[in-house]
């Protein structure tokens, strides 16, 4: 007997959100990079309900950082409502999307094992990869999960990937650029 797979013709996308919150830490990074955005997150929906990164677990404590499920109405974004952003989308097939979700699910289930790779940011400044075990910074994490899912393969180690590296990737389409709280799906919930 022949088994038929049901074709899902609806397009699938992933979303990359780059932000500039205006925190002291982000201002410090910006002075060095001169890039407009210094934080990267990955999301599975246009409304940014399922969004992940490495960053502050508590908006007032930059030391307590690691894997986070981000919420545009809470945490760092609530503490810094003047956050600027650019949102990109990338079409992916169902298989890669499911693989990506599985990878992030493993991070989420083991979130207490992961830490923020502060030394890695210093390594980026010197173009030297610093990769402590179970430790990532935001763009390193996003680059790594995209790499593991077979969506994007970098021409450098993911520990050297910066938020600015996402700005000119082929296939990425700008969805929105401006103030995060002015992005229509978010603004309509305020």
């Amino acid at each position: 007997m022949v088994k038929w797979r049901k074709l899902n013709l609806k397009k699938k996308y992933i979303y990359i959100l780059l932000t500039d919150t205006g925190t002291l830490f982000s201002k410090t990074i910006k002075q060095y990079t001169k890039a407009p955005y210094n934080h990267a997150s990955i999301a599975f929906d246009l409304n940014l309900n399922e969004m992940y990164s490495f960053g502050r677990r508590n908006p007032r404590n930059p030391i307590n950082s690691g894997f986070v499920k981000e919420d545009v109405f809470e945490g760092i974004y609530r503490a810094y409502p003047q956050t600027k952003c650019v949102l990109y989308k990338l079409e992916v097939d169902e298989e890669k999307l499911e693989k990506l979700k599985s990878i992030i699910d493993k991070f989420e289930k083991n979130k207490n094992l992961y830490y923020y790779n502060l030394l890695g940011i210093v390594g980026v400044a010197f173009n030297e990869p610093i990769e402590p075990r179970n430790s990532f910074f935001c763009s390193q994490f996003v680059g790594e999960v995209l790499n593991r899912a077979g969506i994007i393969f970098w021409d450098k180690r993911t520990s050297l990937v910066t938020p600015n590296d996402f700005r000119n990737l082929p296939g990425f389409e700008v969805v929105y650029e401006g103030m995060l709280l002015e992005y229509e799906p978010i603004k309509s919930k305020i």
Side-chain angles (χ1 to χ4, degrees):
M1 174 181 242
V2 175
K3 292 186 178 183
W4 294 93
R5 281 180 45 179
K6 182 179 175 185
L7 290 178
N8 186 347
L9 299 178
K10 185 177 177 188
K11 291 184 178 182
K12 306 289 182 191
Y13 295 96
I14 58 169
Y15 301 88
I16 305 296
L17 180 70
L18 304 181
T19 56
D20 176 14
T21 58
T23 64
L24 179 60
F25 186 60
S26 68
K27 286 177 184 176
T28 303
I29 292 172
K30 197 173 192 174
Q31 287 236 285
Y32 170 77
T33 65
K34 308 291 188 236
Y37 304 102
N38 43 52
H39 181 70
S41 308
I42 186 165
F44 292 118
D45 64 297
L46 196 54
N47 296 331
L48 307 177
N49 293 319
E50 281 188 83
M51 189 166 64
Y52 305 89
S53 190
F54 267 66
R56 296 179 188 202
R57 292 181 175 129
N58 178 328
R60 302 285 180 214
N61 182 354
I63 304 300
N64 182 12
S65 300
F67 177 82
V68 289
K69 181 174 182 184
E70 295 181 316
D71 183 334
V72 295
F73 301 107
E74 296 297 328
I76 196 76
Y77 300 119
R78 182 179 181 140
Y80 294 90
Q82 297 302 310
T83 296
K84 297 173 189 161
C85 73
V86 62
L87 179 63
Y88 296 95
K89 72 177 181 178
L90 177 68
E91 187 175 349
V92 295
D93 63 39
E94 181 75 32
E95 182 181 325
K96 287 192 173 31
L97 180 64
E98 291 307 314
K99 182 156 176 98
L100 184 60
K101 286 182 176 185
S102 174
I103 292 165
I104 289 180
D105 187 52
K106 288 177 186 170
F107 272 92
E108 191 165 28
K109 286 179 179 172
N110 298 295
K111 64 184 170 190
N112 293 329
L113 300 177
Y114 294 101
Y115 302 94
Y116 193 83
N117 186 5
L118 190 56
L119 286 176
I121 291 176
V122 174
V124 170
F126 294 101
N127 200 33
E128 287 294 327
I130 300 175
E131 303 168 334
R133 185 182 175 134
N134 293 337
S135 189
F136 297 85
F137 51 85
C138 63
S139 53
Q140 177 187 12
F141 164 73
V142 175
E144 182 68 23
V145 297
L146 291 173
N147 188 34
R148 288 184 194 179
I151 296 170
I152 295 176
F153 296 101
W154 301 91
D155 61 355
K156 59 183 169 182
R157 297 180 75 110
T158 56
S159 58
L160 295 175
V161 171
T162 69
N164 209 45
D165 290 328
F166 291 94
R167 294 185 68 219
N168 297 308
L169 287 175
F172 277 73
E173 182 182 329
V174 174
V175 173
Y176 172 79
E177 187 165 16
M179 301 300 284
L180 180 60
L181 293 180
E182 292 294 316
Y183 175 50
E184 191 53 45
I186 294 167
K187 185 178 180 179
S188 65
K189 294 180 183 177
I190 296 176

